[in-house]
Each structure stands twice: as structure tokens, then as C-alpha cells.
């Protein structure tokens, strides 16, 4: 099963386009996507997955199962940064350790979207409420990371120039969360009628635009690898080990809750992924002392490729062994 899932994932067009981006950097091609395009693609992917999740929610069902999954998602986004921070304090200064902790407590929406594509290839169903879980997991880790920084290094950050009100606003209403929640609500309101109207846009174009976006992510990831060379092996080991630990916990919780395979995989991917958009955006202004040359390459050049290429088939294989 592990080998079959790995081959299915490796031969999935979005993953192959990700490799193409890596290859372009290695052979020093001048391939590049114009600056506005990646952002537009990101908004489209979030809108599409959010809308489709809202449509699924409009069909009802779930009950305690849905709320239990959302509660677990929020709890994991709070526990993971605490585990990461206290394991990192001896190697990094407090602001940087807090930023890394927030990065690994938050989520990667693109990894989640790739996981939904992987499940669709395998024809494995999943619940729309996992889209809501993704949106809810963005912010708690960011707030915990900033709180840890201000507790253990009160001199860091803005020294009172930026209050918690603005930080909370940025954490909960940053662009990715806003688009996700808004499209989720629209999908839930319009239901199947809305799905039929937008299917050519939200479904027909989805895989093609995901390929284009992952091509750009391959370019960006390959360019970020060089920033890790001066830090030795630790960032690479940490960038793989912590996601594996978080995934193991999530799989155990999924089994205990009786989640179906599709939901279990998406919850696991959310817990094992790392942010490279929301966290840098907030920490750059709230805690400028944190070194983005450490926490951004760790998530983008190590954890993201690992999850996209190896993590998805590995997690699904393990889930398939424990969930009928």
C-alpha cells in the first residue's frame, strides 16, 4: 500500500509540476511566473476549496463528529507550537524559536489542497468541515507564538507600539482565512445550486491551476534551500521530525474518534504541515527580531516538499492500516 500510494502521488500531475519547478532552478532556467500570478492562483485555490467545502456542509450531517473534529484541530494548533518552542529554545533566540513554533503550529493551505487532490485521485471521500478546520487552525498558533515571545523575551517585538488588538485582527482576518471563511459561507448558503453554477470554474479549472501554482512553489522552494546550508542538518531533521510526530498524534486521535480515511488524512496533513504565508506576514511586523531566514526556509524548503512528495502517501498508508 505504501509503495502504491507513493507511486500514485509521484505520478500525480501537480506533484510532477512541483518537481519541474525544482528542476528549472537546478538547471538555471530563466523560467518564472510574473509576480501577481502566484497570488491570484493562491486566492483561486482557497476560494475553490472553501466554496466546495461549504457546499458539502450545506448537505447536513456530521453533528458531534464535525464539532469534535474542529475541537481537535484547534487543540493541535495550540499544542504543537508549545512542543516546538520548548524544544527549540536552546538552539535559537526566543523570537526566532517562537516564530518557528508558530510556523509549525499553523498550517499550509497548499499542502491541504494537494491532499484533497490526492484523495480525489484515489476516489476517497472527505467532509467539507475539514475546510473550516483549516481556517480555524491558522490563528491560534500565531497568537501562542507571539505570547511565548513576549513572555520569555519581553524586550522583543514592538515594545507596545502594536497592541494585541491589531495582532489578533491580522491573525484572524488575514487574506487566506478571510477568503476561506467567506467562500465556505457562500458555498453553504448556495448549496448544490451554487455548485452547479460554478462547477466549470471551481472544479473544471482546479487541477490545471493547481499544477501552475505548484510549478511556482517548486521554483520558490528550490531557491530557498540555499538559505539552510549555514545552519547544518538540524533544520532539515526538525522540519521532517516534527511533522512526523504531529502526524502520529493526529492519526491516533483520528482512530480514537472513528474518523473515515479521507477526514483522517486531511486532519493529519493539517497537523503535519507548516505555514509559510500567514506566520511570516504577522511576525514580520509584530516580532521583527525573529529571523525569517530560518523559519521561512524550514517550512518552505523542507517541510512543504517532504509533505507533498512523501508525507501524503506515507500518512495515507498508515491510516489505511488502522482505519478499515
Amino acid at each position: 500500500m505504501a509503495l502504491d500510494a507513493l507511486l500514485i502521488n509521484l505520478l500525480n500531475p501537480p506533484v510532477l509540476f512541483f518537481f519541474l519547478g525544482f528542476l528549472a532552478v537546478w538547471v538555471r532556467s530563466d523560467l518564472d511566473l510574473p509576480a501577481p500570478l502566484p497570488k491570484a492562483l493562491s486566492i483561486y485555490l482557497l476560494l475553490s476549496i472553501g466554496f466546495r467545502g461549504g457546499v458539502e456542509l450545506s448537505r447536513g450531517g456530521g453533528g458531534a463528529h464535525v464539532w469534535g473534529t474542529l475541537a481537535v484541530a484547534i487543540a493541535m494548533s495550540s499544542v504543537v507550537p508549545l512542543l516546538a518552542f520548548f524544544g527549540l529554545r536552546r538552539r535559537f533566540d526566543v523570537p526566532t524559536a517562537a516564530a518557528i513554533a508558530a510556523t509549525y503550529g499553523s498550517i499550509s493551505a497548499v499542502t491541504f489542497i494537494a491532499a484533497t487532490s490526492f484523495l480525489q485521485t484515489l476516489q476517497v471521500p472527505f467532509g467539507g468541515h475539514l475546510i473550516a478546520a483549516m481556517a480555524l487552525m491558522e490563528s491560534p498558533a500565531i497568537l501562542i507564538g507571539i505570547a511565548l515571545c513576549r513572555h520569555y523575551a519581553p524586550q522583543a517585538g514592538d515594545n507596545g507600539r502594536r497592541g494585541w488588538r491589531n495582532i489578533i485582527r491580522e491573525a484572524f482576518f488575514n487574506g487566506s482565512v478571510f477568503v476561506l471563511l467567506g467562500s465556505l459561507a457562500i458555498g453553504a448558503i448556495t448549496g448544490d445550486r451554487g455548485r452547479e453554477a460554478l462547477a466549470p470554474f471551481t472544479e473544471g479549472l482546479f487541477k490545471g491551476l493547481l499544477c501552475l501554482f505548484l510549478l511556482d512553489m517548486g521554483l520558490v522552494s528550490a531557491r530557498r534551500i540555499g538559505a539552510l546550508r549555514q545552519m547544518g542538518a538540524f533544520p532539515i531533521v526538525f522540519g521532517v521530525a516534527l511533522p512526523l510526530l504531529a502526524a502520529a498524534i493526529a492519526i491516533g486521535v483520528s482512530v480514537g474518534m472513528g474518523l473515515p480515511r479521507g477526514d483522517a488524512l486531511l486532519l493529519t496533513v493539517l497537523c503535519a504541515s507548516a505555514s509559510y504565508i500567514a506566520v511570516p506576514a504577522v511576525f514580520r511586523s509584530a516580532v521583527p527580531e525573529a529571523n525569517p531566514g530560518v523559519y521561512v526556509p524550514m517550512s518552505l524548503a523542507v517541510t512543504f516538499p517532504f509533505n507533498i512528495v512523501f508525507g501524503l502517501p506515507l500518512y495515507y498508508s498508515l491510516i489505511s492500516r488502522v482505519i478499515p
Side-chain angles (χ1 to χ4, degrees), residues 58-84:
S58 73
R59 294 169 178 166
H65 163 79
V66 170
W67 291 109
T69 303
L70 297 180
V72 168
I74 295 172
M76 286 295 291
S77 70
S78 303
V79 170
V80 170
L82 293 173
L83 291 174

Side-chain angles (χ1 to χ4, degrees), residues 93-241:
D93 58 86
V94 168
T96 301
I100 298 172
T103 295
Y104 282 87
S106 188
I107 58 95
S108 163
V110 180
T111 307
F112 180 91
I113 291 168
T116 64
S117 177
F118 177 72
L119 289 174
Q120 288 166 356
T121 300
L122 295 176
Q123 298 184 336
V124 177
F126 56 88
H129 61 286
L130 270 301
I131 313 296
M134 174 172 61
L136 292 173
M137 290 180 74
E138 283 265 27
S139 303
I142 295 174
L143 299 177
I144 288 173
I146 293 174
L148 288 168
C149 181
R150 294 194 171 182
H151 178 75
Y152 288 97
Q155 75 281 4
D158 54 18
N159 295 321
R161 291 192 298 273
R162 287 178 57 81
W164 275 104
R165 183 176 180 179
N166 288 332
I167 293 171
I168 291 173
R169 175 179 172 81
E170 288 180 4
F172 282 95
F173 293 99
N174 66 75
S176 61
V177 174
F178 190 78
V179 170
L180 269 175
L181 291 178
S183 56
L184 187 78
I186 292 171
I189 292 169
T190 59
D192 285 319
R193 186 175 61 179
R195 178 186 176 278
E196 290 176 8
L198 288 184
F201 177 69
T202 58
E203 299 175 27
L205 297 176
F206 184 81
K207 271 213 168 182
L209 294 183
L210 177 60
C211 289
L212 192 57
F213 186 76
L214 284 179
L215 171 66
D216 181 67
M217 292 305 303
L219 293 169
V220 175
S221 299
R223 290 166 184 160
R224 290 281 187 176
I225 287 178
L228 296 175
R229 292 175 182 172
Q230 298 178 345
M231 291 183 277
F234 179 79
I236 297 175
V237 173
F238 182 90
V240 172

Side-chain angles (χ1 to χ4, degrees), residues 13-36:
V15 175
L16 292 175
F17 274 96
F18 178 79
F19 281 129
L20 184 63
F22 252 88
L23 180 63
V25 173
W26 287 344
V27 300
R28 300 185 179 180
S29 168
D30 62 354
L31 176 65
D32 202 6
L33 270 68

